[in-house]
Amino acid sequence: GSHKEEKKQVKEEDVSGLPWLFDDALKRIRSYRAPDSGRVVSLLFRDLPDRDEYPDYYEEIANPISMRQIQSRHASYATVDAWANDWLVMLQNARQYNEEGSEVYEDAEALEKLFLAEPAQAKNNVAKGPVTGGNKTSNTSPAASST
């Protein structure tokens, strides 16, 4: 029976580590402050703009998405690329709707710089798993560590 468990574990492990990576990256991005003012840069990105206050936003932006929505999908992203794509869409939306030079536009630029370091980091962490083959499972298997 242990062979079946091991196989199943490797399969699940490929994706089960991702939500943790995404949460970790999200924490860093959420807590990022503008070096000059100390302002939390991600505040406006956490929720979508109010539909009543900004109806034109929903006419102009084809795929509205917020950090809250991205976070709610953390468990369902199959790849780092799928997750990264939603982030980049969100930041592009902000630049499309807001004027260049505006605070929101500048915030989107700053978050994108910060964010672009994240997928690379996440990919490295994920790559360490499946690439090493069988020995990864024995290192992380609960059975191995409990004895």
Side-chain angles (χ1 to χ4, degrees):
S2 67
H3 285 296
K4 268 184 194 161
E5 283 167 28
E6 212 172 292
K7 260 191 187 142
K8 193 172 133 198
Q9 194 176 16
V10 170
K11 259 214 159 99
E12 284 172 6
E13 208 168 45
D14 292 355
V15 182
S16 68
L18 290 178
W20 177 85
L21 289 169
F22 299 154
D23 288 343
D24 198 47
L26 180 75
K27 271 183 214 142
R28 279 195 293 281
I29 293 165
R30 278 180 78 142
S31 59
Y32 175 74
R33 292 174 178 272
D36 52 346
S37 64
R39 197 172 46 81
V40 175
V41 173
S42 66
L43 281 175
L44 279 174
F45 297 89
R46 293 185 186 179
D47 295 291
L48 287 172
D50 185 291
R51 224 172 248 279
D52 297 329
E53 280 184 61
Y54 302 98
D56 59 328
Y57 181 88
Y58 294 91
E59 290 162 21
E60 191 178 329
I61 301 300
N63 300 302
I65 188 164
S66 68
M67 282 171 66
R68 193 179 302 278
Q69 288 169 297
I70 292 171
Q71 186 175 14
S72 73
R73 297 177 188 173
H74 276 184
S76 57
Y77 289 117
T79 64
V80 173
D81 285 338
W83 170 74
N85 186 59
D86 274 355
W87 273 95
L88 296 173
V89 166
M90 177 185 77
L91 297 171
Q92 182 51 43
N93 289 348
R95 285 195 299 255
Q96 185 182 328
Y97 182 75
N98 296 278
E99 285 180 32
E100 195 169 341
S102 68
E103 191 172 73
V104 182
Y105 190 101
E106 297 299 320
D107 287 351
E109 295 276 283
L111 286 182
E112 186 166 293
K113 277 196 191 99
L114 182 71
F115 176 74
L116 286 174
E118 294 292 345
Q121 191 177 338
K123 276 182 182 162
N124 290 342
N125 292 344
V126 173
K128 281 177 198 158
V131 170
T132 57
N135 60 4
K136 167 87 177 166
T137 325
S138 57
N139 293 347
T140 56
S141 149
S145 59
S146 64
T147 45

